[in-house]
Amino acid sequence: MATQLTGARRRRRPLSAFRPEPGQTRHPAVALAMALPCAVLLVILFGGWEQMATQAKAVADLIGH
């Protein structure tokens, strides 16, 4: 027996509905609020803290010479 769908079907909005209008930009704090949790999660999951500290020390050594 065929399955019947009942009720109203939801229409999906196109992806362009989620993009800002041309000429409009997001506030930098919004971008930071979206990116920071993801960055923290990646640092915790992959142990990036040690790598970041090692690279920062290497850059500081280069600047110091």
Side-chain angles (χ1 to χ4, degrees):
M1 211 177 222
T3 305
Q4 289 185 336
L5 298 175
T6 58
R9 297 183 78 195
R10 290 189 342 181
R11 192 176 354 162
R12 298 179 77 184
R13 292 195 293 179
L15 289 177
S16 60
F18 296 104
R19 293 188 190 122
E21 300 266 336
Q24 291 182 339
T25 58
R26 286 193 182 108
H27 193 276
V30 174
L32 182 66
M34 292 184 335
L36 195 59
C38 186
V40 168
L41 181 66
L42 289 173
V43 166
I44 291 171
L45 286 178
F46 295 108
W49 186 254
E50 292 84 12
Q51 183 67 29
M52 189 175 71
T54 303
Q55 289 183 0
K57 184 179 181 313
V59 170
D61 289 342
L62 286 173
I63 292 172
H65 288 164

